[in-house]
Structures are given as C-alpha cells and as structure tokens.
Amino acid sequence: MEKKLPIPIHSLSLLLFPVMKTIKPIVVFLLLSLSVAAQNDTMIGSPPGYYNSMLFRSGGMVTDSADNIWIAYGKIGLVKYDGTGWTVYDSLNSPLLKNQILSVACNNSGVWAGTDTGLFNFNGSGWMWMNNLNSTLPSDTVSKLYSPGGNNLYLFSTNGFAHYNGIFWQQYNSTNSNLVDNNVQCIFKDVSGLLWIGTSAGLSAFDGSTWQNYTTLNSALPSDNISTISEDGHHHLFIGTYDRGIYFLSDGEFISPKDFTSSYDNFPSSITRILRMSDGTIVYSGYKDWYFKADPIEIQNSNGFFASDTNYLGVIDSHDRIWRLGYRTIPKLWMRDSLSGHPIVPPSSYNDLDINQVRCGMWNDNTFHWEKVGNSRYEVPKGSFRNSVFASALWIGGLDPGNNLHMAAQTYRQSGSDYWPGPLDTVVATIDTATKLLYDSLWKINKWTIDEFITQYNIGNVTNGSYAIPNEIKYWPAHGNGNYSRKLAPFVDLNGDGIYNPLNGDYPEIKGDQMLWWVMNDNFGTHRETDGVALGIEIHSKAYAYSCPAVPDSNEAVNYTTF
C-alpha cells in the first residue's frame, strides 16, 4: 500500500484517472463488523385480561401528538397505550358498535377508528359516528385509513380512495379520475404536497388536479404491487413492494439500492413498512427483520432488532422510539428506545458524483470513495460493481512558528476522526454543535438545473413566482451566520450586491456538469485518528465531473474522470 506523507497545504485539486482493476489490500482495517446485537428492546406486553388468540388480528397502529400508541384490534376494540398503562374502548364502554376495528389514524381532530359499521372519531372527551346515511362517507366499511396531518383524512380500499377535509368527502376511483387502479394498498403525502397512491397495479401521483401514473410498462418501476411509501431526508420517495423489495424515486427515476451496494441482495423482497425518523433516516421492515437507511448505500440489517418473531406493524414516535406489534406466536407490543450501535449516519452526509461513467462516493468529513463499512465506492464503469479505488482522504500537516507539528489525517476511523463537517468561527476558529449539524451535508447540483433556472429567470418566471426555484439553488449555502464566513459556497452574484438571492437571479457557481460542495474543519474535537494537534483549518471542497458522451474516442477519458 502506498505510504501517504503529511504535507502543509493551502488548497488541493485531485484529478483521478481510475485504473480498471480492483485492488483489495489485505489489512486489518478490513475487519469492520456489521453485526449489531439487539439492545434496548423492551417488551411492553399487551392489554391485560385477554387471551393471545384475541390479540392476533390488528388493523393498524399509530401514534398521536402526545406519543400515545393506538392499536386497532380485530377482536377487542380500540386500544391506547400511554407509556404506563392500557385503555380499551369497546362496544360496552363506548359508542363503538363492534369490537372489530379495521383501521386507525390520528390527526388534529383526534383518533379515528374504521369499522364495518362506519367511521368513529374520539377527540379525548367525546365521540362522533359517521356513516353513509348521516354524511358523504362513501362506504360504511372503512378498512384502511391514513392521515398526513391537519384535519385531512384518507380512507382507501378495493374501491379506490376518498379524502375528508374536515367538512366533506371526495371519492376517487378509476371511473371518475385517472387513478391507475381501484385496489389501493397505501397512501402517502410528500413534503411538496403531492399525494402518492400505491395500488396492486401501479403507482399514481396526484397534485389535486393532474395525475401521473407509473407502472412496469411505462417506467422503471420494478413491480406494480405497491405495499408502502415514505420519504427520506433528501426528499427521495421510497416505495416498498410485495415482491421486488424497496426502491427510491430520484430525479424521475426508480432506483434500486442494489445499484449502490451488492450487500442488498440479501435483503427482503417483500417490504411491509417504511417509516421515517426525525433526522430523515428511513426505517423499513420485511416480515422478519428491520433495516435502517440514511443514504442509498448505507442500508443495514438490524440483526435481530426485536427478540420476537414476525414483524407486523410499526410506528415511530416523536422521540424516535420505534414501536412494533408482534404477530403469530407472540402478539406483544415491543419498543426500542435507542438506535445506538447501528451504523446510522446523518441523511445527507454522503453523496455520489455520478454524472458520467464513474460513481464516486464522497463523505463530508474527509472520507472518500468507500462506504465506511468495508465496501469501496469508486465504481468504473458505473453499475459494474468494479471499484478502482478502495478509500481516500486528505492528510494535512505543518509546523507552527515554534516548530511544533500540527496534523490532521484520516484512515479507516477505528480510533475516531480528525475532521468534521462545517465552517469555523472566524474569531476563535472553533465550531459549535448546532452549526456542525447545520452543515452536515453535501450539496449536489447539476449544470442543467442551473441552465434551466437561468432561462426561467430571463423570461421572468422566477420573479413572477410561476417557476418553483429548485431546492438545490434556493438553499445553496453561500453565506454563514454570526462569526462564520460570508463567503462559503461559490455563487454568481448577478447584481453584484454581495448577497446570495435567487430571486435576484443569483445561482450556484459550479465546475463541470455536476458538482458536490461541502465544508469541513479539523477543530471540532480531539484528533482521535492521529493524536495530532489541530491546525484550525476550514476546507471548502468541490468534487465535479463532466459528461461528454459525444466526444471523439481520443477524448473519451473525460467521461471516466472525476475532479
């Protein structure tokens, strides 16, 4: 292995020409383990006084704003667990007509219980019963419910779906709309307000007026049998299927995590739940295990996440505690209070430079070209699973006026880290935790996104508001606050006022056809990797590449090069 020497440095440009051969150094650093012991799992139990046979059937589980757990049991009624005890609402002590609860949801109006005798609402003090005689409820059989918040409520079944806005119901099916199929199996509303409807025959997107349908015939959707939908911290839509595993939608394309890591081959083909934690991390389950995802490449098996059998239902509360209901032999409620021990990373601390024939993995803490879990990530050609670089990092060192050595370097992080995300305070050369978290990201942008923005600005659509400014441009980290530098990510200042404002036509200044930008420092904590004294440096980083598929053969190397 080539020895890397520390050198004093002010700026650095790396031009990587991949060697078409995977080199696997046989070193102790490869002994990184992915195994994680189940820990912090608590079996809560089940409502007392009932046999297991009465607890097997459940129509859903949700949390309310107070983190109460509500379970729709199929034989005993609507049940609440408040963290210390159980409350059962049934046909004897409430207006519920039957103990068979088919579905449950929570919103600002309280908890909703779906039955085959209509829909019941409990606001904590009183009940309301809604049926198709006293309301516009489309059916008295309310088999599945979903609420994205507010007063909105959706019910869905094999006859399409209906939306309740707190006043009236509006029904949608393949007869009165462009819904791809009537057999609706899941519904999810994303951060932009777009409604996604998963059916047994494809996926529909509805913005309130127009429809977009995705099937295996008109898109790269791997399966038409959609089981569950959610969204991660990158605003990637994640789609679970009953027969082809999990996929995510990025830039209009359905992408499998297999495109990022071959270890995904062992993951389940049938996905039962996709949930999101407060930091944007995706948690999802098959029938037996739970998995965690903070980036497409960083997907980890829980290795016995719960000491129970088949996973059935799951929810995440406001404290990121994961609640799950057992099935079959042990119909108990379980809770995990911590994810410590799982290799979860912040949702945007990793990204790929992938505009041309190279997929180049980059972290925002001076860890490049590998997954931190033993797998290399400098793939050439892209999609081949052949990696010509195992791992890379900057080593920076220098002598101060007293001839004392200062050192910041990174290898495989067994000991810790010498680099962290974020800029340094320009007065004291340190960074606080809140600022570190704010910059714990890599900003990725394509040239065509900027070109489109320039065109829309020039014709007036940015100024008049008819063009939605892409988040990559709107939230470009051009300036720091307080004592942090006003000159961070580079931008084109159209009016020369020194202030980044896309409404004035400003946009990110990039190199290449795609660029990643991030900022890191060596002075957030103790240098555990080298035990070196910090330099107090702030590094503004760019990684970029060109895509020139039409260039002559003599210049084709640019499509296999990253900068």
Side-chain angles (χ1 to χ4, degrees):
M1 180 180 294
E2 181 182 355
K3 185 177 180 181
K4 300 177 181 178
L5 298 177
I7 55 173
I9 186 168
H10 296 288
S11 64
L12 178 68
S13 295
L14 296 179
L15 176 62
L16 295 180
F17 293 97
V19 179
M20 299 303 292
K21 180 180 180 181
T22 301
I23 301 174
K24 298 180 179 179
I26 304 174
V27 292
V28 69
F29 304 135
L30 296 180
L31 300 178
L32 295 173
S33 175
L34 295 181
S35 62
V36 181
Q39 56 182 339
N40 301 318
D41 303 329
T42 302
M43 187 182 75
I44 304 300
S46 54
Y50 299 95
Y51 296 109
N52 279 354
S53 61
M54 305 173 72
L55 303 172
F56 284 140
R57 295 177 58 189
S58 175
M61 179 166 66
V62 295
T63 60
D64 62 20
S65 59
D67 283 338
N68 295 306
I69 306 297
W70 293 87
I71 303 173
Y73 279 103
K75 291 186 178 181
I76 70 171
L78 179 66
V79 176
K80 179 180 76 170
Y81 178 72
D82 62 7
T84 57
W86 300 84
T87 304
V88 178
Y89 299 95
D90 58 24
S91 59
L92 297 178
N93 64 12
S94 76
L96 293 169
L97 301 181
K98 291 184 176 181
N99 291 341
Q100 182 185 15
I101 311 299
L102 303 177
S103 54
V104 63
C106 288
N107 63 13
N108 288 349
S109 301
V111 60
W112 297 83
T115 74
D116 62 4
T117 58
L119 182 63
F120 293 83
N121 172 256
F122 179 55
N123 63 12
S125 58
W127 291 81
M128 178 185 69
W129 176 34
M130 189 181 298
N131 58 41
N132 59 11
L133 296 178
N134 64 19
S135 72
T136 56
L137 184 72
S139 171
D140 278 349
T141 299
V142 184
S143 56
K144 296 177 182 179
L145 288 170
Y146 164 74
S147 176
N151 291 317
N152 292 292
L153 186 68
Y154 294 87
L155 65 84
F156 52 103
S157 67
T158 56
N159 296 315
F161 74 96
H163 172 228
Y164 182 62
N165 63 4
I167 301 174
F168 60 85
W169 290 91
Q170 174 67 50
Q171 187 171 14
Y172 300 90
N173 53 46
S174 57
T175 301
N176 65 9
S177 73
N178 288 327
L179 181 65
V180 68
D181 186 74
N182 279 342
N183 187 22
V184 178
Q185 301 182 142
C186 56
I187 293 179
F188 177 77
K189 193 171 220 178
D190 69 21
V191 69
S192 70
L194 195 61
L195 191 69
W196 295 88
I197 305 100
T199 78
S200 60
L203 180 68
S204 289
F206 182 51
D207 65 6
S209 58
T210 59
W211 295 82
Q212 175 69 51
N213 291 330
Y214 303 88
T215 69
T216 54
L217 298 178
N218 68 4
S219 72
L221 188 68
S223 169
D224 289 330
N225 199 4
I226 312 300
S227 59
T228 179
I229 305 170
S230 191
E231 189 175 40
D232 73 357
H234 296 293
H235 307 316
H236 291 146
L237 191 77
F238 274 74
I239 300 102
T241 69
Y242 279 115
D243 53 358
R244 293 294 299 277
I246 190 169
Y247 277 67
F248 65 96
L249 184 63
S250 179
D251 295 329
E253 295 185 18
F254 293 96
I255 301 174
S256 169
K258 292 181 182 180
D259 293 341
F260 295 87
T261 173
S262 58
S263 63
Y264 180 80
D265 291 339
N266 297 322
F267 282 40
S269 59
S270 185
I271 305 298
T272 57
R273 287 291 182 276
I274 304 177
L275 306 170
R276 172 178 166 161
M277 303 184 74
S278 61
D279 67 354
T281 297
I282 286 292
V283 179
Y284 70 98
S285 72
Y287 280 104
K288 291 186 178 180
D289 281 308
W290 289 78
Y291 301 83
F292 303 88
K293 180 216 88 66
D295 254 278
I297 67 147
E298 187 74 16
I299 301 177
Q300 301 299 330
N301 189 334
S302 63
N303 290 342
F305 181 62
F306 285 102
S308 181
D309 60 330
T310 304
N311 291 302
Y312 189 41
L313 301 171
V315 293
I316 296 178
D317 66 17
S318 65
H319 299 287
D320 283 340
R321 295 174 298 189
I322 302 178
W323 301 79
R324 151 284 178 212
L325 194 63
Y327 188 49
R328 294 184 179 172
T329 59
I330 312 177
K332 308 291 186 182
L333 181 66
W334 294 75
M335 183 268 288
R336 160 153 289 199
D337 194 32
S338 171
L339 292 180
S340 59
H342 290 280
I344 300 301
V345 296
S348 53
S349 57
Y350 173 94
N351 220 321
D352 284 309
L353 191 66
D354 55 5
I355 193 71
N356 57 20
Q357 290 300 312
V358 184
R359 178 175 284 122
C360 166
M362 305 293 287
W363 297 87
N364 65 353
D365 58 359
N366 192 25
T367 304
F368 311 143
H369 312 142
W370 74 318
E371 299 179 9
K372 295 187 183 177
V373 290
N375 295 321
S376 53
R377 185 55 62 211
Y378 195 88
E379 184 184 41
V380 190
K382 184 173 61 181
S384 67
F385 295 111
R386 298 172 181 172
N387 296 277
S388 58
V389 178
F390 180 73
S392 304
L394 297 178
W395 288 33
I396 305 175
L399 300 174
D400 65 19
N403 218 31
N404 300 301
L405 177 64
H406 295 251
M407 182 70 180
Q410 210 62 63
T411 58
Y412 298 97
R413 296 181 177 275
Q414 288 96 334
S415 302
S417 183
D418 282 9
Y419 291 87
W420 297 269
L424 293 177
D425 184 299
T426 56
V427 177
V428 294
T430 59
I431 179 175
D432 57 55
T433 300
T435 304
K436 171 180 172 289
L437 293 174
L438 183 64
Y439 288 92
D440 195 0
S441 184
L442 289 95
W443 285 263
K444 180 177 181 177
I445 191 164
N446 293 317
K447 183 177 182 295
W448 67 262
T449 304
I450 295 174
D451 291 342
E452 181 187 31
F453 169 82
I454 293 172
T455 299
Q456 295 295 327
Y457 180 80
N458 288 338
I459 62 178
N461 289 339
V462 173
T463 304
N464 65 28
S466 62
Y467 171 73
I469 301 173
N471 287 340
E472 302 98 307
I473 295 177
K474 182 187 294 186
Y475 301 117
W476 188 245
H479 307 297
N481 297 314
N483 289 335
Y484 295 95
S485 174
R486 296 298 181 271
K487 293 183 178 181
L488 293 179
F491 67 96
V492 173
D493 188 4
L494 199 64
N495 62 4
D497 64 356
I499 301 173
Y500 181 71
N501 186 357
L503 293 175
N504 291 334
D506 300 342
Y507 55 87
E509 183 179 47
I510 72 168
K511 293 184 176 181
D513 292 310
Q514 183 184 79
M515 190 177 87
L516 302 176
W517 186 92
W518 67 101
V519 56
M520 57 185 176
N521 70 85
D522 83 322
N523 204 27
F524 175 74
T526 302
H527 286 205
R528 300 290 186 187
E529 189 80 312
T530 62
D531 292 324
V533 180
L535 292 95
I537 53 173
E538 172 183 312
I539 302 172
H540 297 189
S541 309
K542 300 186 188 78
Y544 58 97
Y546 294 89
S547 176
C548 305
V551 298
D553 290 346
S554 59
N555 295 317
E556 190 182 8
V558 72
N559 290 308
Y560 293 85
T561 304
T562 58
F563 298 85

